[in-house]
Amino acid sequence: MADPFEVRMRFTSQLQHLSASTTAAQKAANYALKNREMDEDLHSCILEQLERNSMNNRANIMYFIEHLCEASQREGHVEFVRMVQRDILRVVDAVAPGDGSGAANVRVVRRVLQGLQTREVLLPDTVSELETVLKSRDIAPSHPFIAETNGEKQRSNGQRLDKRQIEQRIEEDRERHKRLRENIWAVSGEGDDEFNKLWDEASELGDDDYLIGKEDAEERKKVIEFG
Amino acid sequence: MAGTRRAQDIDQWRPEEPSIRDRDRVRPRERVDSRTASPGPRAARDDRRRGTHDSDSRSTAKHARGRSRERSVSRERARRRSRAASRDDDRYRPSRGRAPSADGSSQAQQHHNHHHHRHHRDTSLLSKRLRTRSPSPHRDSFKRAKRLRSRSTQRSRSRGRHASSSHRPSDRAFPPPPARTDRDRPARRPTPDSYVPSLAARRRSRSADSHYRAVSHRTRKRSTSPDRRPRRDESPRRRSPRRQDRHHRSPSLEDTARRPKYAHRHDKDRSRSRASRHARSRSPRRRRSPSPARRRSRRRSRLDRHSPRRSRSPRASVRRASRSRSRSRSPLRPKHSKRSDKDYETDKHSKANPPASRRGSPTPESGHNSDSQRSKKEDGKMRGGAYHQQGRAHSNYSHSPPYATPNQFSPGTHSPYGNARGGWSGPQHPHQGSPGHEYSPNQSPYQQNNHNYSPGQQGQYYNNQQYQGSQQQVQPGFQGSPYRGGFRGNYHNGSDRRLSGPGSTPGYQPASGGRGRGAPPTQFSNLSWTPSAGTRGGRPATEAPRHSASQPATSQPGTTDAASSAVDADDNPFRPSKDLRVEDEGAKEDKKMPPPPSKPATSTSQSKGFSFSLKTKAPLAASSQKDVTEPTTKESILDPKPRTAPPREPASRYPAGRSDRDRDRDRERDRERERDRDPRDRERDRERERDRERDYRERDRRFEDYDKYGHYDRRANYRDTREPRDARDTRDSAFYRDREYRDNRDARDRDPRDARDAHPRDPRDTRDPRDRERREPYPPSRRPEPRPDTRPERRDAPQETPRTRIVKKTRVKPRPTLSTEFAASESVYYRKPGNESVVGSGTYGKVFKGVHVYTKDMVALKKIRMEGERDGFPVTAIREIKLLQSLNHANVVQLLEVMVEKNDCFMVFEYLSHDLTGLLNHPTFKLDMGMKKDLAKQLFEGLDYLHHRGVLHRDIKAANILVSNTGQLKLADFGLARFYAKRSRLDYTNRVITIWYRSPELLLGETQYGPAVDIWSAACVLVEIFTRHAIFPGDGGEINQLDKIYNVLGTPKVEDWPGIRDMQWFELLRPTERKESTFEEKYRERVTPAAFELLSAMFLFDPAERPSASEVLDHPYFVTEQPPPKRAEALKELEGDWHEFESKALRKEKERVEREGRRKEREGRGGEGEKRRAGEAPEPEREAKRVRSGGEPGTGQSQG
């Protein structure tokens, strides 16, 4: 049995160093489940880190929560799930604060909430409630692209991410997108799923198809000539 | 495809070269052997197969018939050959003539086989040796006749057998069995037994040979069959070389009585063919080989490409010859007998003249030469040097033919081989290591050859190694490994043989026999040399010369058979070399030369008579007369072996097919062998000594220079071989050609073999084209040298029309001689050393400028970067290649081929002198409006094509747009390109496009984008074309890049771009303030009105609003506005190549100058400057970039 203090420290460290990679989140989730007898402490750690770290890190922790819930359900240790359900509002507030500093995280929160709903961690009603909250925090009306009047007033809240963090976030989002695309093409393989997918992706016959056919014919002719 | 094919070929050549060489070697040898030996071996195999149901049976059946076809093409070819044996024999004979080398190789194989047999049937070997020795003089005649016969016979046998199908195989098997009996006979004999019928069996034996050939063991089998033939049919083989001999041979076991008549013939033939008969012993190998054969077939299939041609041609020629021969064989038999008598006389003369053996060897040499040539060709393809070396080695083999008998003796003297092995074993064993005794010997010879080669070229070493490896593999299954080695050698020889074969079918036949013989001789010679392991290299060289001399002789014999006069003439030309080798030999050779037609018979007669009585005597005599003794010993060895072997083999072989008589005979033979063993050993020792002496003599005379084994030897051999070949070659060439063509006619053989044949043929034919291409790229120097030598020789030889023809071809091909630079180029694409050829570099790797050494076409070699690729070949490169292969448009760079070279993969593109960046930054050259419009139009035409084809380029930028010196624009660098779904929105990565050219939606994180991103990029390029500076030169970060865009175009409004709210990083990258567009004020005055309108349309934030490429082309700017597009023909006058790479270098240089200037200023100011320097250092670069981009652009900008 590890020292509770040490477990807390290590778990905190893991949360702070979460990255966009799936392995990092899963590693932290496994560590939490390994020390499930201290689940209460660990959950407090999550909340603590959510409110303490950068917006990028909050987004990563948000994704981590999804992994943690999934792992807990798999392991049969529902305590983590229960605590997440209890504190979801607090989590959302931390990740996408209402002051506009977390507007960039709204997408993350939405995505994670959708994931939790599909995993039956959250009820659809809860998700819809949270969505209304998020909507108000989405794109700040002061956004220069939107604001009718030059929004010099809001210039950037002090929380505006610095350049390095923005670029880090961009890279992390790209990484997550890369992981996402690894499975984006997957089809159940049952029924007509694959056919429907191909059918949907298939385009109507166009002149480009004739072009391809023409080229193929030319190539074939060539081959026959030299064959 | 062509490009890819080329690349493949190239790749294959290099990497494969070794393998190819091995394959070639193996195949040629195998083929030859299989042909010659194959019959017996096949039969044996059949028996074995029957008994064992092993791969052998499979191989046999397949080889014999369609199975072989089905299996490996090479096998099939061999089988077909063997099947068609009689037919093939004719063809093969020519090929054999060509194959002389092959014969030599086969002989070598046979020797290997013999070795094996010897081990098993030492007595037989001894007897054979004795016989062979006595025949050795005959050998000269035999060599010729044998070559003809042996080749034809062997081939014919194998072929005939194959042709005859099962029956023939059995017959063939019979004759071969005797040879096989030495070692493998038991298994082989069974089939032979079936073949037992003397004449029929003989004929059959031929077929059997074909079967054997067909079998992977072919080489061994061939060798075995040859052995059988030599014993029985040798004379016929040599004389009629072909089937008759084989038939006789097949009965030979039974025909021992006949042998007396034929004996001399047979002996001679045996001595010569005995190598092949050793092949009988080899036949066991064949038996063993069956698996090897399979393996071989594989190899062959591989090799087929290169070697197949060779082997094919030889085989095919042989087959043809064999067919004709086989058909004629029956008649030939009597003829052979007559010939044999004559041969005996001649043989006697030859015997009297030790050189005869050498002469005999010459034929093999010719075969070797041919092989060597082939091998050279192949090697040239693979490794020019290797071929040469091989050729030399072959020449050695050819020498070996005479030696071959000695070698055969050695087989009898397996111990010698063992010794040789021991000596060689060091090198050989590594290869043979596992193989075992017999294998090792065979392998050893090859290895030796290889070693010999290796000295010449490392590549050869590789080949050797590979071969060895293959041999080893083969060995496990059968003694095959040795066979393989032998086959390999044979193959090479075969190629040479083929070459020689073409000269004259008869000559070829002899040559073929020579090949088989030659091969064994080479092996033997090697063996003999091996004893003096230290001299290995030197010996081969000596042998090689001998071979060369012998080859001529062999070719001559063949010619003599076909056209004695011509042959004689050929012989004479060759004689000089022979004379060089050994004056006595030369005389003998000359004598032999005329006899050849009769020689076969004489040789056989001698072999027979000598074989038994001479066995012991001959060696002694040989000791007195080194040359004579050697041949005699060889023959005797062969004979004894066959005899002894038969008993052993018969037991296994004959039981099924042959009667108890055979078994009894075999037993007797075994007994005799046992008895003979001691004498044999003595003889062997004597022979060895003699061989050594001979070798030394030869070396001293001819090879002193060649002792090095290296290129000199090879070259010399080649030259010698070629010379002989030249005369022969002309004949041979004609024959080969005919044969080859005929062979080709044999669709089966040709297909798999074609590749082989093609290679062998190629070597000859190719020497010019193929060789050049293949050889030159790799070892141009090597190839050129040998070629020139061969060519002139051939030219001389051309006196005969075929020769002239060949010469012409060769000449024509060689004449295209490459410049020294190109010749030295290791790649087909020559590129200047160091970084001089680099025309571009990036994350993808480097791009080199190259020149195709033959077509002189300029190419851009894009080296695919493999460093840091943990997952193997980068999938992005695969995608790029796939994309490019599907694209065909004037404005899209053409991928010529993909080439793997030196473990690097290159994409070969057409080369364009400039790219847009380099062109726009050219210090002096300025584009006028019409030229700019033309470039812009081509740019969008290319884009339109890509988008029409559903391709997103995703890396449009000035540096990726190439411009030829005729103003032709082509889009390049499809490393980021991908197909996209036109009618659905899929997620793609947004980390694409060089950031300066990246559209705002991508910068904001859009993942569902389309061709509009390319339009944005193209718009940026368009601005560069107009203004010579980049419109959005950011610092490399997304934030800064967006700021650059906002600074020019202002910040987007939601009403302008509704979708902006959905951008992933809309909030993340929100600007701090709104900006108004400054685009109009900045650019309206710098471009024409229509151009400004066009740019404004393309620089829209909303991707959906941007025009498509086709819409851009319809814009008034291109359609109506003056001036019209004008092709930038003025680029022709632009000196040098201007790419981004060059312009960057130019910038750097300017920057450096600027810095120095600043430093001087600062230094002048004082210490503060230094501090500033450090801080400023980075800035100057950027400034420089900007200056560059704007560059002289800066001026352009201001000007614009």
Side-chain angles (χ1 to χ4, degrees):
Chain A
M1 189 61 186
D3 177 17
F5 181 75
E6 181 184 353
V7 170
R8 188 181 178 88
M9 289 299 292
R10 296 187 67 172
F11 187 63
T12 299
S13 175
Q14 285 182 332
L15 291 178
Q16 288 173 340
H17 293 88
L18 281 176
S19 69
S21 70
T22 307
T23 55
Q26 286 178 339
K27 183 179 176 185
N30 289 333
Y31 185 81
L33 282 173
K34 182 181 175 184
N35 300 283
R36 63 187 65 177
E37 58 281 359
M38 290 182 283
D39 48 12
E40 200 79 32
D41 280 351
L42 296 178
H43 183 70
S44 67
C45 271
I46 294 172
L47 295 180
E48 178 182 317
Q49 294 303 316
L50 269 178
E51 296 169 355
R52 185 180 291 180
N53 286 299
S54 68
M55 298 309 291
N56 282 348
N57 190 248
R58 295 182 197 189
N60 287 333
I61 293 175
M62 192 70 194
Y63 283 113
F64 159 76
I65 288 174
E66 185 177 4
H67 282 287
L68 178 62
C69 291
E70 180 184 1
S72 297
Q73 288 177 325
R74 192 172 59 238
E75 295 286 328
H77 188 74
V78 206
E79 191 60 22
F80 282 114
V81 176
R82 191 183 58 75
M83 288 186 287
V84 167
Q85 289 171 336
R86 184 190 62 196
D87 296 331
I88 188 64
L89 183 58
R90 188 179 172 188
V91 169
V92 170
D93 281 342
V95 176
D99 60 0
S101 62
N105 283 345
V106 171
R107 290 173 179 275
V108 176
V109 173
R110 282 188 179 136
R111 190 168 296 168
V112 172
L113 290 179
Q114 290 296 329
L116 293 177
Q117 181 180 340
T118 57
R119 287 184 171 77
E120 297 178 349
V121 173
L122 298 177
L123 297 174
D125 292 344
T126 309
V127 174
S128 61
E129 284 181 20
L130 292 173
E131 177 60 27
T132 59
V133 174
L134 288 175
K135 211 162 192 179
S136 64
R137 301 175 184 179
D138 194 349
I139 294 175
S142 63
H143 194 287
F145 295 172
I146 299 171
E148 290 299 331
T149 60
N150 290 343
E152 295 177 357
K153 54 177 181 182
Q154 286 192 353
R155 268 215 167 173
S156 51
N157 358 10
Q159 292 188 348
R160 151 125 197 182
L161 303 174
D162 63 19
K163 184 177 171 183
R164 192 183 58 79
Q165 283 183 315
I166 292 174
E167 291 178 347
Q168 179 192 347
R169 177 61 177 275
I170 289 174
E171 288 305 314
E172 287 179 353
D173 282 348
R174 283 174 174 162
E175 180 67 18
R176 276 190 279 266
H177 182 250
K178 192 172 161 187
R179 300 296 169 210
L180 182 66
R181 289 198 304 126
E182 286 179 353
N183 298 319
I184 209 172
W185 50 269
V187 182
S188 66
E190 297 174 356
D192 294 335
D193 288 350
E194 185 175 5
F195 167 79
N196 289 331
K197 184 179 178 64
L198 289 174
W199 182 259
D200 292 342
E201 293 176 356
S203 60
E204 294 179 357
L205 195 63
D207 55 353
D208 54 330
D209 296 307
Y210 288 105
L211 177 64
I212 295 174
K214 183 182 173 186
E215 289 181 357
D216 288 346
E218 288 175 350
E219 185 173 351
R220 181 174 177 274
K221 190 177 176 183
K222 224 174 196 174
V223 171
I224 292 174
E225 283 182 2
F226 295 100
Chain B
M1 293 304 291
T4 57
R5 291 175 183 174
R6 293 176 184 175
Q8 292 175 349
D9 294 353
I10 295 169
D11 297 343
Q12 292 175 347
W13 293 349
R14 293 180 179 175
E16 291 177 357
E17 287 178 355
S19 64
I20 292 170
R21 293 176 181 177
D22 296 343
R23 294 175 183 177
D24 294 347
R25 293 177 182 176
V26 175
R27 292 177 181 176
R29 294 176 184 177
E30 291 177 355
R31 293 174 183 175
V32 175
D33 293 345
S34 64
R35 294 175 183 175
T36 59
S38 63
R42 291 178 183 176
R45 293 177 184 176
D46 295 343
D47 296 346
R48 294 176 183 176
R49 294 172 184 173
R50 294 173 184 175
T52 58
H53 301 289
D54 289 351
S55 61
D56 296 351
S57 64
R58 296 176 184 175
S59 64
T60 56
K62 292 179 180 178
H63 293 292
R65 301 167 184 177
R67 293 179 182 176
S68 63
R69 298 174 183 176
E70 293 176 354
R71 292 176 180 176
S72 64
V73 177
S74 63
R75 293 178 182 176
E76 293 177 355
R77 295 175 181 175
R79 294 174 183 175
R80 294 173 183 177
R81 295 174 181 176
S82 63
R83 295 175 182 175
S86 62
R87 300 174 183 175
D88 294 350
D89 290 352
D90 297 343
R91 297 177 182 178
Y92 290 109
R93 293 174 183 177
S95 64
R96 292 177 180 175
R98 296 175 183 175
S101 63
D103 294 349
S105 64
S106 66
Q107 290 176 348
Q109 293 175 346
Q110 293 174 350
H111 291 292
H112 294 292
N113 297 335
H114 292 292
H115 294 292
H116 298 290
H117 295 294
R118 290 174 184 175
H119 293 289
H120 297 289
R121 305 168 183 175
D122 294 346
T123 57
S124 65
L125 296 174
L126 295 173
S127 64
K128 290 179 181 179
R129 293 175 182 176
L130 295 173
R131 294 175 183 177
T132 56
R133 292 176 182 177
S134 63
S136 65
H138 299 288
R139 290 177 185 176
D140 297 343
S141 63
F142 284 111
K143 291 175 181 178
R144 297 175 184 176
K146 287 178 180 179
R147 291 176 184 175
L148 298 174
R149 294 177 182 177
S150 65
R151 295 176 184 175
S152 65
T153 55
Q154 293 174 346
R155 296 177 183 176
S156 66
R157 290 178 181 177
S158 63
R159 296 174 183 175
R161 291 176 183 176
H162 292 291
S164 64
S165 71
S166 63
H167 296 290
R168 291 178 182 177
S170 64
D171 294 344
R172 293 177 182 177
F174 290 89
R180 295 176 182 175
T181 55
D182 295 345
R183 296 177 183 177
D184 296 341
R185 288 177 183 177
R188 293 178 182 177
R189 291 176 181 176
T191 56
D193 294 345
S194 63
Y195 293 96
V196 174
S198 63
L199 297 176
R202 292 174 185 177
R203 295 176 182 177
R204 292 176 183 177
S205 65
R206 295 175 183 176
S207 64
D209 292 343
S210 63
H211 293 290
Y212 291 104
R213 294 175 183 176
V215 179
S216 60
H217 301 287
R218 294 174 182 176
T219 56
R220 297 176 182 178
K221 292 177 180 180
R222 294 175 183 177
S223 64
T224 56
S225 65
D227 293 345
R228 296 176 182 177
R229 296 174 182 175
R231 293 176 183 175
R232 297 177 182 178
D233 299 343
E234 288 175 354
S235 62
R237 290 179 182 176
R238 295 174 182 176
R239 296 174 183 177
S240 63
R242 312 150 182 178
R243 300 171 181 177
Q244 293 175 346
D245 293 345
R246 294 178 183 176
H247 297 291
H248 295 291
R249 291 177 185 177
S250 62
S252 65
L253 295 177
E254 296 175 353
D255 294 346
T256 53
R258 295 178 181 178
R259 291 179 181 176
K261 296 177 181 179
Y262 297 101
H264 299 288
R265 298 175 183 177
H266 292 291
D267 292 350
K268 295 176 182 178
D269 294 349
R270 290 175 183 176
S271 63
R272 296 176 183 175
S273 64
R274 285 175 184 175
S276 63
R277 291 183 179 178
H278 293 291
R280 295 178 182 176
S281 61
R282 295 175 183 176
S283 66
R285 296 178 182 177
R286 294 176 181 177
R287 295 175 182 176
R288 298 176 181 177
S289 64
S291 63
R294 294 177 182 177
R295 297 175 181 177
R296 292 174 182 176
S297 65
R298 295 175 184 175
R299 297 175 182 175
R300 291 176 182 176
S301 63
R302 296 175 182 176
L303 298 177
D304 291 347
R305 297 175 181 175
H306 304 280
S307 65
R309 297 177 181 176
R310 299 176 181 177
S311 64
R312 292 177 183 177
S313 64
R315 293 179 181 177
S317 62
V318 173
R319 291 179 182 176
R320 296 175 183 175
S322 65
R323 292 178 182 177
S324 62
R325 293 175 183 176
S326 64
R327 295 175 184 175
S328 64
R329 287 177 184 176
S330 61
L332 292 177
R333 294 177 182 174
K335 293 177 181 179
H336 290 291
S337 63
K338 295 176 182 178
R339 293 179 181 177
S340 65
D341 295 345
K342 295 177 181 178
D343 293 350
Y344 290 107
E345 295 174 356
T346 55
D347 293 348
K348 292 176 182 177
H349 295 290
S350 63
K351 291 178 180 177
N353 298 336
S357 64
R358 294 178 183 177
R359 294 175 182 176
S361 65
T363 55
E365 290 177 355
S366 64
H368 294 292
N369 293 340
S370 64
D371 292 351
S372 65
Q373 292 174 346
R374 295 176 182 176
S375 65
K376 290 178 180 178
K377 293 177 180 179
E378 295 174 353
D379 292 350
K381 296 174 183 179
M382 302 303 290
R383 306 168 184 174
Y387 290 94
H388 298 294
Q389 293 175 347
Q390 292 175 348
R392 293 176 183 177
H394 293 294
S395 64
N396 295 337
Y397 290 106
S398 64
H399 296 290
S400 65
Y403 290 102
T405 56
N407 292 340
Q408 293 174 346
F409 295 110
S410 63
T413 60
H414 291 289
S415 63
Y417 287 105
N419 294 342
R421 294 175 183 176
W424 297 6
S425 63
Q428 296 174 347
H429 288 289
H431 302 291
Q432 297 175 341
S434 61
H437 315 291
E438 295 175 355
Y439 295 106
S440 63
N442 294 335
Q443 294 176 346
S444 65
Y446 291 106
Q447 293 174 346
Q448 292 174 349
N449 294 337
N450 294 338
H451 293 293
N452 294 339
Y453 294 110
S454 63
Q457 297 174 343
Q458 294 175 347
Q460 295 173 347
Y461 288 98
Y462 291 100
N463 294 339
N464 295 338
Q465 292 174 348
Q466 294 175 347
Y467 289 108
Q468 294 172 349
S470 64
Q471 292 176 348
Q472 290 175 348
Q473 294 174 348
V474 176
Q475 293 173 346
F478 293 82
Q479 296 168 344
S481 62
Y483 289 107
R484 292 179 181 178
F487 289 115
R488 296 175 182 175
N490 292 339
Y491 288 116
H492 295 293
N493 294 337
S495 64
D496 294 346
R497 294 173 183 176
R498 293 177 181 176
L499 296 176
S500 65
S504 62
T505 53
Y508 290 111
Q509 295 172 346
S512 64
R515 293 178 183 175
R517 297 172 184 174
T522 55
Q523 295 174 346
F524 289 103
S525 62
N526 292 341
L527 296 175
S528 64
W529 292 346
T530 53
S532 64
T535 59
R536 294 176 183 174
R539 292 179 179 178
T542 58
E543 292 177 354
R546 294 176 182 176
H547 293 293
S548 64
S550 65
Q551 290 175 346
T554 56
S555 65
Q556 294 173 350
T559 55
T560 55
D561 293 345
S564 62
S565 63
V567 174
D568 294 349
D570 294 347
D571 293 350
N572 294 337
F574 295 103
R575 293 175 184 175
S577 64
K578 296 176 181 177
D579 294 347
L580 295 177
R581 295 177 183 174
V582 182
E583 295 175 354
D584 295 349
E585 291 179 355
K588 293 177 181 178
E589 290 175 352
D590 296 349
K591 294 176 180 178
K592 292 177 181 178
M593 296 305 292
S598 64
K599 285 178 181 178
T602 57
S603 63
T604 56
S605 65
Q606 290 176 347
S607 63
K608 292 178 181 177
F610 289 98
S611 63
F612 295 97
S613 64
L614 292 178
K615 292 178 182 177
T616 56
K617 293 177 181 178
L620 297 174
S623 63
S624 63
Q625 295 176 347
K626 295 175 181 178
D627 297 347
V628 174
T629 57
E630 290 178 354
T632 56
T633 56
K634 293 176 181 178
E635 292 177 354
S636 66
I637 293 168
L638 295 175
D639 294 347
K641 290 178 181 179
R643 292 177 182 176
T644 56
R648 294 178 183 177
E649 292 178 354
S652 61
R653 295 178 182 175
Y654 293 8
R658 293 181 180 177
S659 62
D660 295 346
R661 294 177 182 178
D662 295 345
R663 295 178 183 177
D664 295 345
R665 292 176 183 176
D666 295 347
R667 293 175 184 174
E668 292 175 355
R669 292 177 182 176
D670 294 346
R671 294 175 184 175
E672 291 176 356
R673 291 177 182 175
E674 293 175 354
R675 296 174 184 175
D676 294 344
R677 288 178 183 176
D678 295 342
R680 290 177 183 177
D681 294 346
R682 297 174 184 174
E683 292 176 354
R684 292 176 183 177
D685 296 345
R686 295 174 183 176
E687 291 176 354
R688 292 176 183 175
E689 294 174 355
R690 294 173 183 176
D691 292 349
R692 293 177 183 177
E693 293 176 356
R694 292 176 181 177
D695 294 347
Y696 290 111
R697 292 177 182 176
E698 292 177 355
R699 293 176 184 174
D700 295 343
R701 294 175 183 177
R702 297 176 182 177
F703 301 93
E704 291 175 352
D705 295 347
Y706 300 101
D707 292 348
K708 296 176 182 178
Y709 304 111
H711 301 283
Y712 294 103
D713 294 346
R714 296 176 183 175
R715 294 176 183 175
N717 294 338
Y718 287 111
R719 295 176 182 178
D720 294 346
T721 57
R722 291 177 181 177
E723 291 175 356
R725 291 178 183 176
D726 293 344
R728 299 175 182 176
D729 286 349
T730 56
R731 300 174 184 177
D732 291 349
S733 64
F735 291 103
Y736 286 114
R737 293 176 182 175
D738 296 348
R739 293 177 182 176
E740 290 177 352
Y741 292 110
R742 295 174 184 174
D743 292 345
N744 293 337
R745 294 174 184 176
D746 297 345
R748 299 173 182 174
D749 296 349
R750 290 176 183 177
D751 295 345
R753 297 174 183 176
D754 286 348
R756 298 176 182 176
D757 293 353
H759 294 291
R761 296 174 182 176
D762 293 348
R764 300 173 183 175
D765 296 346
T766 7
R767 290 177 182 175
D768 302 343
R770 297 177 182 175
D771 292 353
R772 292 175 184 174
E773 295 176 354
R774 296 178 181 176
R775 295 177 181 175
E776 290 174 354
Y778 302 96
S781 63
R782 297 175 182 174
R783 298 174 182 175
E785 294 175 356
R787 294 177 182 175
D789 295 345
T790 57
R791 296 172 184 173
E793 293 175 356
R794 292 179 182 176
R795 293 176 182 177
D796 296 343
Q799 293 173 348
E800 297 176 354
T801 55
R803 294 178 183 176
T804 57
R805 292 175 185 176
I806 296 171
V807 174
K808 290 177 181 177
K809 293 179 180 179
T810 57
R811 290 177 184 176
V812 174
K813 296 175 181 178
R815 288 177 183 174
T817 306
L818 299 177
S819 66
T820 56
E821 284 183 342
F822 288 172
S825 174
E826 294 179 354
S827 170
V828 182
Y829 297 105
Y830 165 79
R831 60 177 201 253
K832 293 178 181 176
N835 290 330
E836 200 176 346
S837 61
V838 176
V839 293
S841 65
T843 56
Y844 53 82
K846 283 183 177 179
V847 176
F848 304 91
K849 177 182 178 181
V851 180
H852 194 288
V853 294
Y854 301 112
T855 65
K856 313 300 184 193
D857 290 338
M858 305 272 283
V859 297
L861 301 171
K862 182 173 181 177
K863 184 178 178 180
I864 297 174
R865 186 180 176 186
M866 294 292 289
E867 294 81 8
E869 291 291 345
R870 296 179 181 177
D871 299 330
F873 195 83
V875 69
T876 54
I878 300 285
R879 183 155 75 175
E880 182 178 3
I881 292 167
K882 181 184 176 185
L883 264 169
L884 285 166
Q885 284 178 336
S886 72
L887 299 177
N888 175 26
H889 190 267
N891 297 118
V892 175
V893 71
Q894 185 180 357
L895 176 66
L896 300 175
E897 63 176 325
V898 180
M899 162 178 86
V900 175
E901 202 171 82
K902 287 184 176 177
N903 203 31
D904 284 326
C905 185
F906 294 89
M907 296 171 65
V908 183
F909 296 97
E910 55 182 335
Y911 179 81
L912 284 80
S913 302
H914 320 286
D915 67 30
L916 213 44
T917 299
L919 208 56
L920 294 173
N921 289 328
H922 192 276
T924 58
F925 182 78
K926 297 290 182 289
L927 294 166
D928 63 25
M929 293 304 292
M931 290 153 66
K932 288 178 180 176
K933 186 173 291 186
D934 183 63
L935 292 176
K937 190 180 182 202
Q938 292 185 67
L939 166 61
F940 284 99
E941 283 174 345
L943 262 188
D944 183 37
Y945 172 78
L946 291 181
H947 294 163
H948 211 61
R949 288 290 311 274
V951 174
L952 294 179
H953 187 283
R954 301 204 295 186
D955 200 10
I956 295 290
K957 61 177 178 179
N960 284 338
I961 296 171
L962 306 179
V963 182
S964 73
N965 55 9
T966 59
Q968 177 73 21
L969 177 145
K970 289 178 187 292
L971 300 176
D973 192 353
F974 285 72
L976 289 176
R978 67 159 297 153
F979 289 108
Y980 73 100
K982 284 185 175 182
R983 289 164 182 75
S984 62
R985 290 216 160 242
L986 299 180
D987 265 10
Y988 311 127
T989 177
N990 54 39
R991 186 157 40 188
V992 292
I993 304 185
T994 302
I995 198 163
W996 283 6
Y997 303 85
R998 195 178 297 171
S999 62
E1001 69 266 27
L1002 285 175
L1003 292 169
L1004 289 174
E1006 177 63 277
T1007 57
Q1008 297 179 341
Y1009 51 87
V1013 299
D1014 282 340
I1015 298 298
W1016 180 279
S1017 302
C1020 294
V1021 172
L1022 205 52
V1023 171
E1024 278 191 61
I1025 292 175
F1026 292 144
T1027 67
R1028 300 179 66 183
H1029 80 281
I1031 184 173
F1032 305 126
D1035 65 356
E1038 284 81 0
I1039 300 170
N1040 182 262
Q1041 185 63 35
L1042 275 175
D1043 284 341
K1044 292 289 181 186
I1045 294 174
Y1046 296 155
N1047 287 338
V1048 175
L1049 300 176
T1051 52
K1053 298 184 178 71
V1054 174
E1055 47 268 33
D1056 296 336
W1057 183 9
I1060 194 175
R1061 294 176 66 109
D1062 298 326
M1063 292 300 108
Q1064 185 177 8
W1065 300 318
F1066 176 69
E1067 274 294 334
L1068 194 66
L1069 295 173
R1070 64 187 289 180
T1072 56
E1073 59 185 0
R1074 297 182 65 169
K1075 289 180 180 176
E1076 295 301 327
S1077 174
T1078 60
F1079 179 68
E1080 184 170 350
E1081 78 179 69
K1082 285 182 178 175
Y1083 290 94
R1084 177 175 285 285
E1085 303 303 325
R1086 300 176 68 174
V1087 297
T1088 63
F1092 179 78
E1093 187 185 346
L1094 177 60
L1095 288 175
S1096 299
M1098 290 190 292
F1099 280 131
L1100 291 177
F1101 281 105
D1102 189 350
E1105 295 298 322
R1106 289 177 214 144
S1108 68
S1110 60
E1111 290 170 349
V1112 169
L1113 289 172
D1114 292 335
H1115 193 274
Y1117 170 72
F1118 294 109
V1119 176
T1120 59
E1121 191 180 58
Q1122 295 298 320
K1126 185 184 73 176
R1127 189 53 60 95
E1129 302 290 348
L1131 289 173
K1132 285 181 180 176
E1133 302 166 2
L1134 194 61
E1135 290 183 359
D1137 299 340
W1138 292 93
H1139 298 101
E1140 182 189 35
F1141 192 76
E1142 286 88 354
S1143 63
K1144 274 185 179 175
L1146 186 64
R1147 292 176 190 173
K1148 289 179 181 176
E1149 180 62 18
K1150 287 180 179 177
E1151 291 178 3
R1152 191 180 61 79
V1153 174
E1154 290 178 1
R1155 289 179 201 164
E1156 289 180 356
R1158 292 177 185 175
R1159 287 180 186 176
K1160 289 178 181 177
E1161 292 179 359
R1162 293 173 186 173
E1163 290 177 357
R1165 292 175 185 174
E1168 294 179 354
E1170 294 179 354
K1171 294 179 182 177
R1172 289 181 182 177
R1173 292 177 191 172
E1176 292 174 355
E1179 294 181 359
E1181 293 179 354
R1182 291 181 182 176
E1183 291 178 0
K1185 288 180 182 176
R1186 293 178 184 175
V1187 172
R1188 297 161 190 169
S1189 62
E1192 297 171 340
T1195 60
Q1197 291 178 354
S1198 62
Q1199 293 173 351

